[in-house]
Amino acid sequence: MTNIPVSRTVLDHLSSISLRNNQGQTLKPFELAKDVHRLGRDPKKADLIVPEKDNWMMVSGCQASFVKEGNNYRIYDGDQVKSSSNRLFFNNSLITPKQGLLLQDGMVVTVGTLARNHIIITYSHTNANQPSKKNQKTAISIKNKSVSIGRNPQANLPLDAPTISYDHAIIDNNSKGQYILTDRSTNGVFVNGQKVTGQAIIPNGSTIRIGPYLLILQGDILRIADRGDNIRLDAKNLTRFVKDKNGEKITILKDVFLPINPDQFVVIIGGSGTGKSTLMKTLLGTEQLENGTVELNGEDLRKNFNIYRNLIGYVPQYDIVHPNLTVREVLYYAAKLRLPPDINLVQESEKVLNQIDLKERENTLVKNLSGGQLKRVSMGVELLADPKLFFLDEPTSGLDPGLDKKMMELLKDLSNEGRTIILVTHTTLNINLCDRLVFLGKGGNLCYFGPPQKAIDFFGIKSNNFADIYVHLEDSDKVKKKQKDLKMILIFTSNILINI
């Protein structure tokens, strides 16, 4: 038999995008066939035209560019030179006009970050020679039926997180045709930012927060808009004063800007009195500010703290676990206090024991643990709730170099599991393991924010030793210069901070 070569055509690889707005309305999919496409509302700037209607006004005249790259397309914000008004985001991380993002089948990009008004762009790429992947269910119809939501695998909409109850909530219709949500949980439900007490009406377009999940009601369709594992944190213009014994103002944070992307491992370092712990507590949402905001996925953290509190974990510098309990007992009782009563406490404790690598010490009294082991127990207490944003104050304090490295490697692993990790430390050992380094100077000045590998060059340190940055910043004039240099690297566009 003769082998006949198969002639490849453009039909072997079909690419398209579909758009959906916050009202659940969709447009006919746009096929991508040319080397370059522009998406927008202005026919003079775009070939993929979005209608000039109220529900689509988030889209700019030229919102996005799609450039052929291999079998797929790379998406750029705006026209690859000028950014769009509301920007493009993937997993709450900014897509730039220059770098863009290479798309793969099923990837979802949003115009804007707020679920209540963003536009969802879904990229589809089909290889005609291969079977397509089955998409995970992310939406259900709630029309004319009672809908159960919870950790129960048999629920109409199962949601998997330890802070979610087995039968968390029910959505029913009332006699007026309205949708009514009944809270049956331990940790609560938030509808449009307000905690539900008993029952709440959920109008069209409502957002529903259950544990880490954000749901949106679009007509009769309930959609999972966010699973909580892609938290972007933006600190904007953070300024904090305190008064000395004479009543004089002392600046401990000065105009600090930080864009922290999802799943990043961020280390805050600096000399004594430079505002490290204050900055962390500010990012945590517990410290009062004279100026500035901290935003999670575009929402003010302080104003919405009750909504996000179950997504946040915090390990203080000084451990507060009971010394006369075993490691397993500490985790078990902490789980009993913090998690729904219908959850398997033994199973959750076991999972965390393995995460913090203390299985072999599970029956050891806390008071007999080493400093590093004790710190891991404190971390384990927080990990029970599976926080997506995890703060730690001096977790390596007092540890020898080997244990310091082991702790930093553990934190890196936790970050790789889908968490944003932010820690304060005074030691420069092993900070090369982090994704972003924050270096504060005197007066709470932000002197560096970026990859740790580039910090040495930024400060002009010839010894290649991170510790010499401390010495460099003892000079107040050098602090001011580096703060100015850093501001030259940070660009503000549409009120969003980008690190380039």
Side-chain angles (χ1 to χ4, degrees):
M1 180 181 292
T2 305
N3 290 325
I4 302 175
V6 178
S7 174
R8 296 185 63 82
T9 71
V10 293
L11 295 178
D12 287 343
H13 294 276
L14 306 175
S15 297
S16 64
I17 57 168
S18 59
L19 273 68
R20 186 175 75 243
N21 64 24
N22 65 313
Q23 299 299 312
Q25 298 168 330
T26 59
L27 299 178
K28 183 179 178 181
F30 295 105
E31 183 179 338
L32 304 180
K34 301 191 301 183
D35 288 340
V36 179
H37 289 279
R38 311 279 190 211
L39 172 73
R41 290 186 293 107
D42 188 344
K44 295 179 180 179
K45 299 178 180 179
D47 60 300
L48 309 177
I49 309 301
V50 177
E52 288 272 359
K53 294 182 179 179
D54 289 345
N55 293 334
W56 298 100
M57 295 304 286
M58 283 284 290
V59 177
S60 296
C62 182
Q63 179 64 50
S65 300
F66 297 85
V67 179
K68 185 79 171 178
E69 188 169 316
N71 290 325
N72 282 292
Y73 281 81
R74 183 175 290 271
I75 186 173
Y76 298 88
D77 186 40
D79 60 5
Q80 296 181 264
V81 178
K82 184 179 179 181
S83 300
S84 64
S85 297
N86 292 304
R87 311 307 299 270
L88 288 175
F89 295 85
F90 173 69
N91 287 345
N92 294 310
S93 294
L94 195 65
I95 299 173
T96 66
K98 297 295 184 183
Q99 187 175 5
L101 173 74
L102 183 61
L103 296 170
Q104 302 291 334
D105 181 42
M107 289 176 69
V108 174
V109 171
T110 63
V111 179
T113 57
L114 295 179
R116 68 174 69 99
N117 62 4
H118 67 197
I119 304 293
I120 296 174
I121 303 172
T122 303
Y123 175 74
S124 298
H125 175 78
T126 303
N127 184 342
N129 298 317
Q130 294 179 356
S132 61
K133 296 179 181 179
K134 187 177 180 180
N135 292 328
Q136 186 178 2
K137 183 179 179 182
T138 59
I140 60 168
S141 171
I142 63 173
K143 188 175 183 179
N144 299 326
K145 61 183 177 182
S146 181
V147 173
S148 59
I149 304 171
R151 220 177 58 254
N152 182 353
Q154 303 305 315
N156 297 108
L157 186 61
L159 304 178
D160 185 22
T163 54
I164 295 177
S165 296
Y166 196 74
D167 296 306
H168 202 99
I170 297 287
I171 297 178
D172 292 299
N173 302 83
N174 66 10
S175 58
K176 298 179 181 179
Q178 298 170 311
Y179 288 117
I180 306 294
L181 182 144
T182 302
D183 179 20
R184 303 173 63 177
S185 70
T186 300
N187 290 318
V189 179
F190 290 84
V191 173
N192 296 325
Q194 300 298 314
K195 189 170 184 178
V196 174
T197 303
Q199 292 185 327
I201 296 173
I202 47 173
N204 182 34
S206 292
T207 59
I208 303 169
R209 174 73 68 177
I210 295 179
Y213 289 82
L214 181 66
L215 314 178
I216 300 180
L217 180 63
Q218 297 174 329
D220 298 315
I221 304 298
L222 187 63
R223 299 184 184 277
I224 298 176
D226 186 5
R227 298 177 183 273
D229 51 0
N230 292 295
I231 293 181
R232 177 185 170 90
L233 186 151
D234 286 282
K236 299 181 179 180
N237 203 41
L238 304 185
T239 301
R240 179 82 170 95
F241 299 110
V242 294
K243 290 185 179 180
D244 63 16
K245 59 183 179 181
N246 298 319
E248 297 293 327
K249 283 186 177 181
I250 300 174
T251 303
I252 53 176
L253 284 181
K254 185 177 180 181
D255 294 332
V256 174
F257 292 86
L258 294 173
I260 298 174
N261 286 327
D263 306 342
Q264 283 190 332
F265 179 18
V266 180
V267 172
I268 303 171
I269 61 174
S272 298
T274 55
K276 300 186 300 296
S277 292
T278 299
L279 175 57
M280 188 185 69
K281 290 176 183 177
T282 300
L283 298 177
L284 182 60
T286 60
E287 191 82 0
Q288 188 67 40
L289 284 169
E290 273 67 37
N291 190 40
T293 58
V294 177
E295 296 179 356
L296 294 188
N297 293 349
E299 295 188 310
D300 190 311
L301 174 58
R302 287 185 64 84
K303 292 180 180 178
N304 297 280
F305 186 77
N306 285 336
I307 297 175
Y308 286 104
R309 66 187 307 162
N310 285 332
L311 300 183
I312 298 173
Y314 171 58
V315 177
Q317 182 176 357
Y318 301 105
D319 302 293
I320 52 175
V321 292
H322 200 292
N324 292 318
L325 295 176
T326 66
V327 173
R328 177 174 283 280
E329 287 171 337
V330 167
L331 295 177
Y332 179 85
Y333 289 122
K336 195 169 185 177
L337 287 170
R338 304 184 66 176
L339 302 182
D342 52 35
I343 203 165
N344 188 325
L345 301 179
V346 173
Q347 181 177 310
E348 294 302 312
S349 301
E350 186 77 17
K351 182 172 69 175
V352 170
L353 269 172
N354 290 320
Q355 275 185 302
I356 60 176
D357 195 23
L358 283 180
K359 178 65 177 171
E360 293 182 358
R361 304 303 301 270
E362 62 179 317
N363 295 316
T364 303
L365 291 176
V366 167
K367 64 183 179 183
N368 294 329
L369 296 174
S370 68
Q373 291 167 342
L374 178 58
K375 185 60 67 177
R376 277 185 276 160
V377 174
S378 295
M379 291 168 56
V381 169
E382 293 299 310
L383 288 171
L384 286 165
D386 192 22
K388 304 304 180 184
L389 185 57
F390 201 11
F391 294 88
L392 304 99
D393 195 355
E394 299 278 7
T396 61
S397 178
L399 302 185
D400 64 44
L403 290 176
D404 183 293
K405 184 177 182 181
K406 193 171 183 179
M407 177 65 74
M408 294 292 280
E409 288 174 339
L410 171 60
L411 293 170
K412 181 65 175 176
D413 289 342
L414 292 174
S415 172
N416 291 336
E417 291 174 2
R419 297 180 183 86
T420 301
I421 307 289
I422 300 174
L423 72 87
V424 166
T425 184
H426 65 276
T427 177
T428 56
L429 289 173
N430 305 302
I431 59 174
N432 59 303
L433 291 171
C434 73
D435 299 307
R436 290 292 183 269
L437 181 64
V438 177
F439 216 117
L440 294 178
K442 292 179 179 179
N445 286 286
L446 178 62
C447 295
Y448 180 76
F449 176 69
Q453 298 81 2
K454 295 183 179 180
I456 295 292
D457 291 338
F458 181 80
F459 288 103
I461 304 299
K462 296 180 180 180
S463 66
N464 209 34
N465 188 335
F466 284 107
D468 284 334
I469 298 175
Y470 282 95
V471 179
H472 183 85
L473 292 179
E474 286 178 358
D475 187 329
S476 296
D477 290 336
K478 290 181 178 178
V479 169
K480 292 178 182 178
K481 182 180 185 304
K482 285 306 171 186
Q483 184 196 34
K484 185 177 180 180
D485 290 345
L486 185 64
K487 284 187 175 181
M488 296 295 290
I489 301 174
L490 298 174
I491 297 176
F492 298 88
T493 308
S494 300
N495 202 32
I496 296 173
L497 185 65
I498 314 164
N499 184 249
I500 59 173

